Amino acid sequence: MNKNLTLGIDVGGTNTDCVLIDSVTDPDNPKVLSSCKSPTTVDIYSGIKNAITKTLEIISDKDPKFSTDKIKMMSIGTTTFINAIVTRQRLAKVAVLRLCGPATISLLPMTDWPRDLYKKVYGCHYFLSGGFEYDGQEISKFSESEIEKAALEIKERGLTSVAISCVFSPTNPTQEIRAKKIVEKIIPDAIVTMSHQIGLLGFLERENSAIMNASLRPLASKVIEQFSNSAKGFNLKCPIFLTQNDGTLISCKEALKTPVKTFTCGPTNSIRGAQALIGLDQTLEENSEIMIVDIGGSTTDVGLLRKGMVREQALGATISGVKTNFKIPDILSLGLGGGSIITVDENEEIQIGPISVGYELINRAKIFGGDQLTTSDVAVALGLADFGDKEKVSDLSEEFLEKVYQKMKAMIEDTIDRVKLSEKDIPVILCGGGSILVKEGETLRGASKVIRPKNFGVANAVGSAIAQISHDIDCMVKYDPENDEEKWKQKSKDYVVKAGGDPKSIEIVEFETVPVSYLPGSLTRLKIKAMGKLLPTYKFENFENLTKTNVKYDLEKDQSEKGVEDKEVKKWENAKIENKIELGITIDKDGFWVLSEQDVDHIAIGAAVLGAGGGGAPFVNCLRVKSMIRQGKRVRVMDPLAMKDTETALALGGLGAPSVVDEKILSGIENTNVVKTMQKYSKTGKIEYVMPIECGGLNSLEPMIAAANLDIPIIDADFMQRAFPKVQMCSPFFFEDGLKSYPSCMADEKGNVVVYERVMTATLLENLMRDTVMRMFCLAGVGLPPITGKLLKKYAIHNTLTLAKSIGLAIEVAKEKKEDPIQAILDLMIGGEKIFIGKITSVKREIKGGFNIGNVKIVGLDHFKDKICEIEFQNENLIAKIDGKVKITVPDIIELVDTDSAEPIGTELMKYGQRVTVIALPTAPILQTNEAMEFISPKCFGYENLDFVPISKPFTPKGFKEYFKKN
């Protein structure tokens, strides 16, 4: 027996699995020496102890000379930390230090958190000088004195868990490191989390992840200590590792710092374990795809391996209601497992799951004397498994059993089909204890072959045992493909070596370059992942030295009263609870629609749909507006027809690169200064109203910040009814008697303001603004020339905020009723059409003239099977072809939405393997006029031989008083 054995453990919702493997003798085919399943216990640790005990008893029976000295590593996949978040227990209060200068201040930390979790975790927050621009320059000078002052206040509050977030810290972490040292000097027992160690680019999600991590670090110390004590109890002297979300290893030392990285390790462990059990690298070609179907006690998780790597979700995970940017596997789950409950309705229709008896199977299933019919009962009755008492299910007819079996099989086959990236049949591996539900030798639709490896029931624990070391890089850099590619790949490999990886085994498993729009030069977002096997001889720090902690409070007790009372918590407590979907709106005595937080949510959802793939994701702006409402400020919307002809409105928006917008959030100062500056250019000497330039994407909400700050109403109108890439594509510029292209204004968060007093064409204004925004570090507020009520009524597109609200509401209501949210959009926008359903198989992008230009290819599914859809885009989607024939063109709206959730997918987020539905929506009458065609027809985007043919009659949105009833 090899002297370098690994003990792998995976804690599931039903069972805790444990294996002892030899992965050194033949690394590509690890040998399972012993294994067991043990019921998961409420305290988790007892379940782990029982599983290890049984596993060691089995190997000792096989080999009386076995000694635990041969175990050189223990790896654990645990749900402890995510359970703490889900149950809101054993969490520490967190002080948040945000290094941002004047940027991002319009969005308070934890604005998007569920109320109960916020109250458990929020301690206090500070906006401090510092932060970086995309190119590494400081937003404002780092201030040691500000950090010291904040640290002293945190110490006075009695808080020790601190999260530090800095704008663009993944690209430059120096300020976070400096701040950490100052905090630790003033608070010796501080436990500090730096955001660059937790998440990737995307400020809000990374800060959320860092705060969540900080709240868990005291618990991590206790958990690691208990794990190490368990190891000592079995005389194990090996290092302990935990498995991460991507299925790779994290040492105890790192797990103490970053417990959040273990949140979603379970499904990945199963997929990697199944891969190891069949010797994937030897049996399949390098570029092969293989499906893993892991049937557990409650659910079936289906995932895809491509080139030996687990496919990951394009978007970050939402953990217990909080958006994060963790990389997690792209797993599709269905409510089918060994403990799934079977019912028959009044129409004799069989229902399987999603409710499961879980770990109570041995008490509630019929084969164990219970009264609940489960899938395990059917498996035993069919002879697929041999446990419990078969006689107790002898009353089940063969016809009934076959119906249940065929329904289970169909559920699995349908899920396989949804996960596959093409119509080609691919190998399927069955694993998990619940895979007994599938007959031996069974064929499955969509599978070229079905493999059920030996030890299939403990694939998750095997995955934990054979996990590798990895490292991710995500940054924006000046990048020359010819000279820099190998340099960056080697840098990633060096990180893995430093973490304990075997240099000979390290490979680059992900290398993605995304050119960044608007930005000068060759600036590129670079994403790299390197992975390698653990070096057996690598010396890790003794875990006994890692678990020492100065935590002075008991995590088992409620910490909600820790620290002094904070006014921000009061704001949360006073905020209106809006769990129930409100079908109406609030209209005040003056006829204004007063926005609630739920209204803002609905507008953001609808604006994303109207974005036509561009315009930027509205989510962060949605939170900014909700934060203003929560602080007592009001956002009022006015019917455009109620505006006097002589009054003046100012169309506002934000201009910048989406990659910068995601990281350096507008502060609210920008457009507030634009409005103040433009007052003197108004014919009335003041700006009575503001409005969005475009109602597609994030700019639909941007004017609401200035409106709330200045307490002026917003007009329910815009100039595009969607998103367009250029300012000259605003409707009032189409007409000779329309809006002049001057004066206009731009402003940044530092107080810089630029006014264009005389620019002769809107096209020139577009070019000047793009030049200016680059000098403002690719993010600025924008105000177009003031427009009178007379012109606005004639040339603006009315009721577009109401349209966005109604789309968002329709989607949410459909989801609540378990109806099709995509169809709900089409029912609302009469003339819209679902033109394609499929999976993305390729995405090509490049930056030309500051625009994100490219195309996406989609292979058809369902009734679009054997067809191909191609969409070309320039920031927004421009044309859609089906089998080479043009189907839809700009200015009609072409939108890709997630087939399951109806969530819009922007052009920058399109990714290989996404399952999408393509919808086309009609535009307003003014966008289909001859004058408009000079600015927004296909010819304006380079399609000289392509005329615009509308999908249907123009769509005219109704006003809010027609759509909604007064509350």
Side-chain angles (χ1 to χ4, degrees):
M1 185 183 293
N2 190 280
K3 294 183 179 180
N4 289 294
L5 305 181
T6 301
L7 197 63
I9 300 165
D10 186 86
V11 182
T14 304
N15 291 307
T16 295
D17 299 344
C18 182
V19 297
L20 183 67
I21 72 166
D22 174 3
S23 59
V24 176
T25 303
D26 186 357
D28 292 326
N29 291 281
K31 183 179 180 182
V32 178
L33 303 176
S34 66
S35 65
C36 85
K37 282 183 172 292
S38 181
T40 296
T41 55
V42 175
D43 66 353
I44 293 179
Y45 313 108
S46 298
I48 291 175
K49 181 180 177 181
N50 295 338
I52 294 175
T53 299
K54 291 179 182 178
T55 302
L56 296 183
E57 286 176 352
I58 292 170
I59 190 63
S60 297
D61 290 341
K62 291 180 180 179
D63 181 4
K65 295 182 180 180
F66 170 78
S67 168
T68 54
D69 290 339
K70 295 178 180 180
I71 300 175
K72 300 302 180 183
M73 186 181 86
M74 185 166 91
S75 177
I76 302 173
T78 178
T79 57
T80 301
F81 301 117
I82 193 169
N83 285 345
I85 295 292
V86 171
T87 61
R88 282 47 169 165
Q89 294 178 352
R90 299 187 293 173
L91 301 173
K93 291 280 190 180
V94 178
V96 183
L97 303 184
R98 185 187 291 179
L99 309 178
C100 59
T104 82
I105 60 174
S106 64
L107 184 63
L108 299 175
M110 303 173 66
T111 299
D112 61 327
W113 287 44
R115 178 192 306 245
D116 57 343
L117 186 57
Y118 179 97
K119 290 178 69 175
K120 281 286 185 180
V121 174
Y122 179 82
C124 58
H125 75 269
Y126 299 86
F127 293 144
L128 305 171
S129 299
F132 292 102
E133 304 287 1
Y134 68 86
D135 64 352
Q137 294 187 53
E138 288 184 327
I139 296 174
S140 64
K141 189 174 179 60
F142 180 86
S143 172
E144 290 189 5
S145 61
E146 288 184 17
I147 303 290
E148 290 170 352
K149 181 180 178 182
L152 287 169
E153 291 182 11
I154 293 167
K155 184 177 183 180
E156 184 179 343
R157 288 173 178 260
L159 301 172
T160 55
S161 289
V162 180
I164 301 175
S165 57
C166 172
V167 179
F168 276 110
S169 63
T171 299
N172 187 344
T174 54
Q175 289 188 2
E176 288 190 351
I177 294 170
R178 289 174 65 187
K180 178 176 182 287
K181 290 179 179 178
I182 295 170
V183 170
E184 290 177 336
K185 183 178 179 181
I186 293 174
I187 312 174
D189 57 348
I191 307 172
V192 181
T193 293
M194 297 180 289
S195 77
H196 75 272
Q197 294 182 322
I198 302 298
L200 309 175
L201 288 173
F203 184 82
L204 172 68
E205 292 86 351
R206 187 177 70 256
E207 183 179 73
N208 281 345
S209 304
I211 295 168
M212 200 175 280
N213 189 79
S215 74
L216 289 166
R217 285 194 60 183
L219 174 62
S221 179
K222 301 290 185 183
V223 169
I224 299 299
E225 185 176 13
Q226 287 179 312
F227 286 163
S228 65
N229 289 337
S230 297
K232 288 179 190 177
F234 293 98
N235 199 31
L236 297 175
K237 300 177 181 178
C238 58
I240 302 173
F241 292 85
L242 274 64
T243 52
Q244 301 188 89
N245 303 327
D246 64 357
T248 59
L249 293 171
I250 182 172
S251 68
C252 279
K253 182 177 181 180
E254 291 304 312
L256 284 170
K257 299 177 184 176
T258 58
V260 291
K261 291 185 177 181
T262 70
F263 271 4
T264 60
C265 61
T268 318
N269 284 344
S270 296
I271 293 174
R272 296 285 292 168
Q275 169 194 7
L277 289 172
I278 65 164
L280 181 62
D281 296 335
Q282 294 183 359
T283 60
L284 296 174
E285 297 177 2
E286 181 182 357
N287 293 322
S288 293
E289 293 171 358
I290 190 165
M291 190 78 62
I292 310 295
V293 178
D294 177 21
I295 309 177
S298 302
T299 61
T300 294
D301 295 327
V302 182
L304 192 70
L305 280 164
R306 189 166 185 268
K307 297 183 181 181
M309 282 298 301
V310 181
R311 187 178 70 180
E312 294 177 331
Q313 284 187 7
L315 304 177
T318 298
I319 304 295
S320 200
V322 178
K323 279 187 176 286
T324 70
N325 56 4
F326 304 135
K327 285 193 170 185
I328 64 170
D330 187 8
I331 300 294
L332 191 59
S333 297
L334 72 153
L336 173 65
S340 295
I341 293 173
I342 300 171
T343 58
V344 180
D345 66 18
E346 57 188 18
N347 298 318
E348 297 188 355
E349 289 291 326
I350 296 170
Q351 174 69 39
I352 303 175
I355 301 173
S356 170
V357 297
Y359 60 83
E360 294 184 303
L361 180 72
I362 57 175
N363 297 318
R364 296 178 62 187
K366 287 197 170 186
I367 52 175
F368 292 109
D371 58 2
Q372 195 72 64
L373 181 63
T374 70
T375 48
S376 286
D377 295 317
V378 171
V380 170
L382 286 170
L384 305 181
D386 184 18
F387 57 88
D389 185 353
K390 188 174 181 178
E391 285 298 315
K392 294 185 183 297
V393 288
S394 60
D395 59 324
L396 300 176
S397 69
E398 290 185 11
E399 180 183 5
F400 175 77
L401 292 173
E402 186 60 22
K403 282 184 179 180
V404 172
Y405 178 78
Q406 290 301 326
K407 186 173 181 68
M408 292 190 297
K409 180 184 174 186
M411 291 170 68
I412 295 169
E413 289 174 332
D414 290 344
T415 307
I416 289 172
D417 186 63
R418 291 172 66 191
V419 173
K420 285 168 57 183
L421 301 180
S422 71
E423 293 304 308
K424 180 182 177 182
D425 289 350
I426 61 174
V428 170
I429 304 177
L430 292 176
C431 65
S435 62
I436 58 168
L437 301 180
V438 180
K439 294 177 181 178
E440 193 70 37
E442 181 67 271
T443 59
L444 295 173
R445 174 169 40 86
S448 58
K449 57 181 176 180
V450 179
I451 306 167
R452 185 168 5 215
K454 187 179 180 181
N455 298 299
F456 64 86
V458 289
N460 45 5
V462 172
S464 176
I466 55 94
Q468 299 181 331
I469 297 288
S470 71
H471 181 78
D472 290 286
I473 291 176
D474 184 2
C475 60
M476 287 202 291
V477 295
K478 288 187 176 181
Y479 177 73
D480 178 359
E482 292 185 4
N483 299 317
D484 294 342
E485 181 173 336
E486 290 305 317
K487 178 185 73 175
W488 278 100
K489 286 181 176 179
Q490 188 58 49
K491 186 175 182 179
S492 186
K493 290 180 179 180
D494 291 343
Y495 278 118
V496 177
V497 171
K498 185 177 179 181
D502 183 350
K504 296 179 181 179
S505 70
I506 298 173
E507 297 179 357
I508 301 296
V509 296
E510 179 185 355
F511 189 85
E512 183 181 7
T513 58
V514 181
V516 180
S517 59
Y518 292 81
L519 301 189
S522 57
L523 205 71
T524 299
R525 184 170 181 178
L526 199 58
K527 299 180 183 181
I528 312 172
K529 187 183 191 74
M531 181 180 291
K533 296 173 181 175
L534 184 68
L535 194 65
T537 57
Y538 188 84
K539 300 296 183 183
F540 292 89
E541 186 173 348
N542 191 317
F543 55 72
E544 290 182 352
N545 298 328
L546 299 177
T547 57
K548 295 177 180 177
T549 176
N550 292 318
V551 179
K552 295 182 178 179
Y553 53 91
D554 185 356
L555 284 168
E556 299 298 333
K557 295 181 179 179
D558 184 12
Q559 296 297 312
S560 59
E561 300 303 320
K562 189 169 183 63
V564 299
E565 189 174 24
D566 194 280
K567 61 182 180 180
E568 300 302 336
V569 175
K570 283 187 175 181
K571 289 174 185 175
W572 249 117
E573 290 173 344
N574 294 331
K576 182 181 177 183
I577 299 176
E578 296 181 319
N579 294 327
K580 180 183 177 182
I581 297 177
E582 294 291 342
L583 301 179
I585 60 174
T586 298
I587 300 176
D588 68 14
K589 61 182 177 60
D590 298 316
F592 294 120
W593 167 18
V594 182
L595 296 189
S596 67
E597 290 191 32
Q598 192 175 97
D599 289 334
V600 177
D601 284 330
H602 293 158
I603 291 171
I605 294 168
V609 173
L610 295 172
F619 175 70
V620 170
N621 273 7
C622 174
L623 295 180
R624 292 170 64 209
V625 177
K626 289 167 67 175
S627 180
M628 302 289 275
I629 293 172
R630 198 168 292 165
Q631 294 175 67
K633 296 185 178 181
R634 59 180 181 170
V635 182
R636 297 168 294 155
V637 179
M638 190 178 89
D639 186 331
L641 296 178
M643 187 178 174
K644 296 178 181 178
D645 287 353
T646 56
E647 289 180 320
T648 303
L650 190 66
L652 300 175
L655 181 63
S659 296
V660 175
V661 173
D662 288 344
E663 181 65 27
K664 180 188 165 189
I665 300 164
L666 285 165
S667 69
I669 297 170
E670 300 88 351
N671 276 323
T672 301
N673 284 342
V674 167
V675 175
K676 290 178 179 178
T677 301
M678 294 302 289
Q679 303 245 26
K680 64 180 179 181
Y681 294 95
S682 167
K683 291 182 180 180
T684 61
K686 62 179 179 178
I687 302 294
E688 284 92 353
Y689 310 101
V690 294
M691 62 182 288
I693 294 174
E694 58 186 353
C695 216
L698 59 86
N699 274 335
S700 59
L701 298 164
E702 183 58 40
M704 295 180 187
I705 303 297
N709 281 333
L710 299 170
D711 195 27
I712 58 178
I714 302 172
I715 298 296
D716 187 8
D718 80 323
F719 294 156
M720 295 182 177
Q721 197 206 319
R722 47 163 291 162
F724 278 119
K726 298 179 180 179
V727 72
Q728 65 264 33
M729 295 175 177
C730 291
S731 57
F733 291 143
F734 300 165
F735 304 91
E736 288 187 8
D737 63 341
L739 193 63
K740 290 183 179 180
S741 52
Y742 62 88
S744 296
C745 184
M746 294 181 70
D748 67 12
E749 81 284 354
K750 300 180 180 71
N752 297 308
V753 179
V754 176
V755 177
Y756 304 94
E757 288 195 338
R758 192 171 180 83
V759 180
M760 299 314 295
T761 68
T763 300
L764 178 57
L765 178 63
E766 160 74 18
N767 294 334
L768 291 172
M769 283 184 165
R770 285 187 179 274
D771 289 341
T772 303
V773 78
M774 286 193 290
R775 302 289 182 263
M776 291 179 168
F777 296 98
C778 296
L779 187 62
V782 174
L784 295 186
I787 186 169
T788 64
K790 184 177 180 179
L791 274 181
L792 186 147
K793 293 172 191 176
K794 187 175 182 180
Y795 291 133
I797 303 168
H798 296 196
N799 308 319
T800 46
L801 287 173
T802 299
L803 174 60
K805 157 75 180 180
S806 59
I807 292 172
L809 177 61
I811 290 172
E812 292 299 283
V813 169
K815 287 180 178 179
E816 185 178 62
K817 293 182 176 180
K818 303 192 183 310
E819 296 174 350
D820 182 0
I822 298 175
Q823 189 57 48
I825 300 170
L826 303 178
D827 291 342
L828 179 69
M829 293 194 70
I830 304 300
E833 184 180 338
K834 186 184 298 184
I835 66 169
F836 205 78
I837 300 171
K839 298 174 186 175
I840 294 178
T841 56
S842 72
V843 182
K844 296 179 181 179
R845 300 184 186 90
E846 60 179 323
I847 299 300
K848 286 185 179 180
F851 296 102
N852 177 25
I853 294 175
N855 61 77
V856 58
K857 182 178 178 182
I858 308 166
V859 174
L861 295 175
D862 298 341
H863 55 282
F864 295 97
K865 184 178 179 181
D866 300 326
K867 294 182 180 293
I868 292 176
C869 178
E870 294 179 90
I871 294 173
E872 298 179 12
F873 54 82
Q874 179 182 316
N875 284 14
E876 286 77 34
N877 299 316
L878 300 179
I879 67 171
K881 302 177 183 177
I882 296 179
D883 291 339
K885 184 178 179 180
V886 175
K887 176 74 174 176
I888 306 292
T889 73
V890 65
D892 278 342
I893 298 168
I894 303 167
E895 185 67 65
L896 275 69
V897 298
D898 182 273
T899 296
D900 296 320
S901 68
E903 183 171 344
I905 300 172
T907 55
E908 289 204 344
L909 295 175
M910 294 174 185
K911 191 172 183 179
Y912 181 91
Q914 289 171 321
R915 297 173 290 277
V916 299
T917 295
V918 184
I919 59 175
L921 303 174
T923 45
I926 198 170
L927 299 181
Q928 299 187 18
T929 60
N930 291 333
E931 291 86 351
M933 290 301 103
E934 297 296 319
F935 292 85
I936 59 173
S937 71
K939 290 181 174 61
C940 301
F941 294 90
Y943 300 99
E944 295 295 337
N945 300 317
L946 192 60
D947 293 322
F948 168 61
V949 178
I951 186 175
S952 69
K953 293 180 181 180
F955 179 80
T956 303
K958 295 179 181 179
F960 58 80
K961 292 180 182 178
E962 293 180 73
Y963 263 123
F964 306 105
K965 294 180 180 180
K966 184 177 179 181
N967 283 346

